[in-house]
Amino acid sequence: SLNRDLEMENLVQIVGLPAVVLNSDERMIAINPGFYSIARVEPGTLVNQGIAALPDMALQQNLKELKKRSQENPQMIHSDQLEFSG
C-alpha cells in the first residue's frame, strides 16, 4: 500500500548505513542515499525497479540471498557486508 511504502521510505532514510527495502516481487521500494552510493547509480533511479536494475551482479546476488534468509526466518533482522574496491 502507498502508506506502507511511505513508512518504509521514512524508516530507511534514518538508517546510518546503506539500506534498501524490497517488496515480495523483489522491487526496491525504499532506498537511502548510502545504498545509491554503493550501487553507483543516480538517486531516484532505482525506486520501483527490480533487483536486475542494479548494475553490480554481486550486489544483485547479495540482495537475493538476504531476501531468501529473511523469508526463511522472518523474525530476525538480516544484514550482510560486501567489499568494494575504490
Side-chain angles (χ1 to χ4, degrees), residues 35 38 56 58-63 80-85:
F35 187 84
I38 66 165
D56 186 322
L59 186 53
Q60 288 181 31
Q61 288 304 113
N62 183 262
L63 288 177
D80 208 344
Q81 295 181 349
L82 287 175
E83 290 187 27
F84 289 91
S85 58

Side-chain angles (χ1 to χ4, degrees), residues 5 21 47 51 68 70 75 86:
D5 288 359
V21 176
V47 174
I51 292 173
K68 178 182 170 199
S70 70
Q75 286 8 17

Side-chain angles (χ1 to χ4, degrees), residues 2-14 21-22 29-31:
L2 182 58
N3 286 340
R4 186 168 173 94
D5 288 359
L6 289 173
E7 182 181 355
M8 292 298 112
E9 181 65 31
N10 288 335
L11 287 173
V12 79
Q13 293 304 325
I14 63 172
V21 176
L22 303 175
I29 59 170
I31 305 161

Side-chain angles (χ1 to χ4, degrees), residues 12-30:
V12 79
Q13 293 304 325
I14 63 172
V15 174
L17 299 170
V20 60
V21 176
L22 303 175
N23 70 4
S24 60
D25 297 330
E26 295 186 354
R27 280 187 308 114
M28 297 173 274
I29 59 170

